[in-house]
Amino acid sequence: MSDIKKLQECISQFTEERDWDQFHNGKDLAIALSLEASELLENFLWKSPNDANLEKIKEELADVINYAFLIASKYDLDITQIVLDKLKKNAEKYPIHKAKGSAKKYTEL
Ligand SMILES: [Mg+2]
């Protein structure tokens, strides 16, 4: 079993042990992920990027990842596969010869 699958199972087990799956529909999980992403952002607000508290960043990033994994579990998605599929799409949108060193959106390359 891959490390990602093991991690996904640990997160699902945490939820099952607390009988929280009843609250975890796709919509509310997506909202929770967005809220945790906002908590991550809050650590950077009114500061230069290097002044953000790394411990708090780790915690909020872990919250975001936890919800991302729960969404993947909810829809029975293979995390490795969907990430690789999206990287392939992004590689097509952002070919190296056009995108290297550029921060432009693919529509403007
Ligand atoms: Mg949080």
Side-chain angles (χ1 to χ4, degrees), residues 36 39 59-60 63:
E36 294 299 346
E39 289 179 11
E59 286 196 15
E60 300 308 338
D63 286 341

Side-chain angles (χ1 to χ4, degrees), residues 64-82:
V64 170
I65 293 167
N66 279 337
Y67 280 117
F69 274 59
L70 284 168
I71 293 169
S73 294
K74 177 61 60 181
Y75 292 103
D76 200 23
L77 303 174
D78 181 322
I79 290 170
T80 301
Q81 193 59 57
I82 64 173

Side-chain angles (χ1 to χ4, degrees), residues 36-45 47-66:
E36 294 299 346
S38 293
E39 289 179 11
L40 175 63
L41 278 175
E42 194 175 23
N43 289 297
F44 294 99
L45 184 64
K47 300 171 189 154
S48 66
N50 292 335
D51 290 338
N53 181 312
L54 185 58
E55 289 306 311
K56 289 181 180 172
I57 289 170
K58 285 196 280 188
E59 286 196 15
E60 300 308 338
L61 182 58
D63 286 341
V64 170
I65 293 167
N66 279 337

Side-chain angles (χ1 to χ4, degrees), residues 5 7-9 11-12 15 20-21 23-37 62-79 82:
K5 277 276 181 203
L7 183 56
Q8 192 170 14
E9 285 198 3
I11 294 167
S12 292
T15 297
W20 286 351
D21 193 57
F23 309 116
H24 286 178
N25 61 71
K27 173 188 70 77
D28 288 319
L29 287 171
I31 291 170
L33 185 152
S34 181
L35 293 173
E36 294 299 346
D63 286 341
V64 170
I65 293 167
N66 279 337
Y67 280 117
F69 274 59
L70 284 168
I71 293 169
S73 294
K74 177 61 60 181
Y75 292 103
D76 200 23
L77 303 174
D78 181 322
I79 290 170
I82 64 173

